[in-house]
Amino acid sequence: MRSSRVFLLGAIVGGAAVWLWGREAEAYVEEKTRGVRTTVAEGVRAVEETAGQVLDRGGEALRRAEDFLEDTKTHMSEALQAGQEAIRPAPATREP
């Protein structure tokens, strides 16, 4: 029973403290954390720029790979057609 009274008294005192000094505490915390928040914001911006650069490089690599595959496909098709023509028998001639 005693612990519930202590809890209730603590809740009342805490609520009163927030009501009386809440704005001052908020201003104090905001002032003390300004530098940290600025540093974090700059860090987020740096991460954004780096991620953009990495994704751009990845996109360029994918485009180069796509060009390579397209060239390979063309060369393979030409080589297979040439091989097909080389092994195809000549048309039979009719004798009258």
Side-chain angles (χ1 to χ4, degrees), residues 34-48:
R34 182 178 305 277
V36 173
R37 289 182 289 129
T38 301
T39 303
V40 169
E42 290 171 358
V44 169
R45 184 185 52 78
V47 167
E48 177 189 9

Side-chain angles (χ1 to χ4, degrees), residues 3-4 20 24 32 50 69 74 76 78-80 82 92 94:
S3 61
S4 63
L20 292 172
E24 289 87 2
K32 293 298 181 182
T50 303
L69 289 174
T74 302
M76 288 297 297
E78 291 171 355
L80 290 171
R94 286 183 156 182

Side-chain angles (χ1 to χ4, degrees), residues 16-95:
V18 168
W19 182 62
L20 292 172
W21 297 294
R23 291 180 198 256
E24 289 87 2
E26 184 180 347
Y28 176 79
V29 169
E30 186 174 326
E31 178 185 330
K32 293 298 181 182
T33 60
R34 182 178 305 277
V36 173
R37 289 182 289 129
T38 301
T39 303
V40 169
E42 290 171 358
V44 169
R45 184 185 52 78
V47 167
E48 177 189 9
E49 289 176 2
T50 303
Q53 292 170 354
V54 168
L55 291 173
D56 286 344
R57 284 194 298 258
E60 291 171 12
L62 287 174
R63 283 189 288 281
R64 286 194 306 268
E66 183 180 21
D67 291 343
F68 173 77
L69 289 174
E70 190 62 37
D71 289 345
T72 302
K73 178 182 169 186
T74 302
H75 291 301
M76 288 297 297
S77 178
E78 291 171 355
L80 290 171
Q81 287 175 358
Q84 195 177 30
E85 292 298 321
I87 62 173
R88 181 173 282 141
T93 57
R94 286 183 156 182
E95 291 187 29

Side-chain angles (χ1 to χ4, degrees), residues 1-18:
M1 185 76 170
R2 181 172 188 271
S3 61
S4 63
R5 288 183 188 173
V6 171
F7 178 79
L8 183 59
L9 180 61
I12 292 171
V13 170
V18 168

